[in-house]
Amino acid sequence: MNIVVEFFVVTFKVLWAFVLAAARWLVRPKEKSVAGQVCLITGAGSGLGRLFALEFARRRALLVLWDINTQSNEETAGMVRHIYRDLEAADAAALQAGNGEEEILPHCNLQVFTYTCDVGKRENVYLTAERVRKEVGEVSVLVNNAGVVSGHHLLECPDELIERTMMVNCHAHFWTTKAFLPTMLEINHGHIVTVASSLGLFSTAGFEKESDLMPALKPPDYCASKFGVVGFHESLSHELKAAEKDGIKTTLVCPYLVDTGMFRGCRIRKEIEPFLPPLKPDYCVKQAMKAILTDQPMICTPRLMYIVTFMKSILPFEAVVCMYRFLGADKCMYPFIAQRKQATNNNEAKNGI
C-alpha cells in the first residue's frame, strides 16, 4: 500500500477511535456476562481484592481467591458463599413463581476456592497456578490486585522492603500472567485486569529538607512499582493486539488514593481535600467493574486523574512541580510515613527492642 494512502487510512482510524470513545461516554455499552467463568483474584483477603470478589460473585463467576493471609482469605470466601446462597434462593423463588424464562446457572457450579499464596515468590505462584488448573480448571478472568507499601523514606527504607514492594506490586504480574495467559492464547478468550494506581501515572516523589544536611526523600519504591506495572500492562496489551488475539481483553485500573487503610494519614492540601477526598472502596470497585464488564481498556477514578495525567505529559517539569506544590501532592505522603514510623517505634517498645 502506498505510504500516503496508508497515512490517510491510519488518520481515519485514529479519528474513528475518538468517535467510538466519545460514544462510550454517551451510550454505555452492554455489560458482558462472566457467569460460570473462573475468575482468579490476588490479594483477595482484604481491601479492593475482597470487594472485587464480592462483585464477581454477584455476577455468578466461579471464584479462585489468592492471598498470603489464610484467615482473611477464608473470611472473604465465607462472604462469597453467602452471596451464592442468596442467589440460589432467588433462583428457586423465580422457578417456583414460573419466571424462569432465562437459563439459571445451577448453584452447584457456583463455588469458591481459596489458596494461600505469596505472589512475590515466583515458585509459589507457579506451583499454586498448577494446583488451580488441576483442581478448578483454566482461568478466564485474572485480576492482579495484590499490593504492599513500605512506608519509609528512601534512605531509611531497608533494601529488603524495596525488593518486596517491587516483587509483589510489579513482578507478580509477570508470574501470574505467564501462568495463565498460554491457555487464553490457545482459545483466544480471557480478560486480564491490572489494578495499578494513579501513582503509576504520575509520581509524588520530591524532597523537603528535614535538616540542613539530609533531605527527606519520599518513598519512591511504591510509585516505581506502579509505574512498572502500568508499563507491563500497556506492553502486554500491544502484544495481544499485534498477535491479533482480540478475544483476550485487558483493563488497567488506576484509582486515586482509596480509603482502605493502606495509605491512612496520606493527605493533600487541606483547602483542596474537600474537592478531592480519598475514594470510597465500594465506589472504586464498582467503577472498575463497569470498565471490566464493558471491556474498557483503562479507567482512572475520579475522571480528574485523566486531566492531571494529560497535563503532566505536556507541561514543563518545573510547571508540574508548581502544580504538585499547590495541590500539596509533593508532601502528601509525609503524614502517612510519620504514622508508620510511630507505629514501628511503638511495636519495638512493646517488644522491648
Side-chain angles (χ1 to χ4, degrees):
M1 183 184 293
N2 185 285
I3 189 170
V4 176
V5 176
E6 187 174 352
F7 172 78
F8 282 108
V9 171
V10 171
T11 302
F12 172 78
K13 289 182 177 180
V14 170
L15 294 175
W16 183 244
F18 275 100
V19 172
L20 292 178
R24 289 176 68 98
W25 282 51
L26 297 174
V27 182
R28 195 72 194 176
K30 182 181 178 181
E31 293 186 356
K32 66 182 181 182
S33 172
V34 291
Q37 296 189 37
V38 178
C39 173
L40 189 151
I41 303 171
T42 66
S46 61
L48 299 185
R50 172 172 289 178
L51 294 175
F52 272 118
L54 300 183
E55 288 295 328
F56 276 104
R58 295 185 182 102
R59 289 164 174 81
R60 302 174 180 272
L62 189 154
L63 287 170
V64 178
L65 309 180
W66 285 14
D67 201 278
I68 194 172
N69 188 319
T70 303
Q71 180 178 347
S72 298
N73 208 26
E74 290 297 338
E75 290 174 359
T76 301
M79 297 176 186
V80 168
R81 293 185 182 102
H82 180 74
I83 291 174
Y84 285 165
R85 285 193 293 270
D86 288 345
L87 289 174
E88 182 186 39
D91 291 346
L95 286 172
Q96 189 173 7
N99 297 327
E101 296 180 1
E102 297 182 0
E103 182 180 353
I104 297 176
L105 191 69
H107 177 72
C108 60
N109 289 339
L110 293 177
Q111 301 179 58
V112 55
F113 300 83
T114 58
Y115 296 87
T116 302
C117 179
D118 183 352
V119 296
K121 296 180 179 179
R122 183 177 65 250
E123 296 81 4
N124 198 183
V125 169
Y126 291 155
L127 287 174
T128 309
E130 187 60 31
R131 285 184 57 199
V132 170
R133 278 191 291 270
K134 290 179 179 179
E135 299 172 8
V136 184
E138 295 297 340
V139 171
S140 298
V141 182
L142 172 61
V143 182
N144 282 314
N145 165 79
V148 296
V149 61
S150 64
H152 294 274
H153 293 299
L154 173 62
L155 300 183
E156 298 174 353
C157 187
D159 293 346
E160 293 78 10
L161 285 184
I162 294 176
E163 291 177 342
R164 176 69 178 166
T165 300
M166 296 302 295
M167 286 292 183
V168 174
N169 294 1
C170 183
H171 295 179
H173 293 244
F174 287 78
W175 317 144
T176 56
T177 302
K178 286 186 68 177
F180 298 110
L181 181 59
T183 301
M184 293 184 185
L185 290 172
E186 287 179 11
I187 62 177
N188 192 24
H189 175 77
H191 200 134
I192 297 175
V193 180
T194 300
V195 181
S197 168
S198 60
L199 296 180
L201 302 173
F202 54 87
S203 174
T204 63
F207 67 88
E208 169 194 26
K209 294 218 171 180
E210 284 189 335
S211 68
D212 293 335
L213 297 177
M214 181 65 70
L217 297 181
K218 290 188 178 179
D221 55 335
Y222 184 83
C223 293
S225 68
K226 292 302 183 180
F227 264 82
V229 81
V230 168
F232 165 74
H233 179 93
E234 291 182 353
S235 178
L236 174 64
S237 299
H238 285 299
E239 279 196 22
L240 292 172
K241 289 293 185 183
E244 298 183 350
K245 296 295 182 178
D246 295 331
I248 304 175
K249 308 300 181 181
T250 60
T251 300
L252 176 63
V253 181
C254 292
Y256 175 63
L257 296 175
V258 184
D259 189 15
T260 59
M262 189 174 185
F263 286 100
R264 184 175 289 110
C266 183
R267 299 186 63 184
I268 59 174
R269 186 172 178 172
K270 62 180 181 180
E271 294 87 354
I272 305 294
E273 197 169 34
F275 303 99
L276 197 60
L279 299 175
K280 297 297 182 183
D282 282 335
Y283 171 78
C284 176
V285 170
K286 288 184 184 301
Q287 293 299 110
M289 287 297 296
K290 289 179 182 178
I292 294 166
L293 297 176
T294 57
D295 295 331
Q296 186 173 325
M298 177 181 180
I299 179 169
C300 292
T301 313
R303 289 182 175 177
L304 176 62
M305 294 298 105
Y306 292 110
I307 300 175
V308 175
T309 304
F310 177 72
M311 292 177 66
K312 179 233 177 181
S313 301
I314 64 174
L315 291 177
F317 177 74
E318 291 302 327
V320 174
V321 172
C322 290
M323 182 177 67
Y324 279 15
R325 287 176 176 170
F326 173 74
L327 295 173
D330 62 323
K331 301 177 182 179
C332 69
M333 294 287 285
Y334 277 44
F336 164 72
I337 294 174
Q339 285 191 12
R340 291 292 289 261
K341 185 183 294 185
Q342 184 63 43
T344 301
N345 292 340
N346 290 341
N347 287 335
E348 290 180 350
K350 288 180 181 178
N351 295 328
I353 298 177

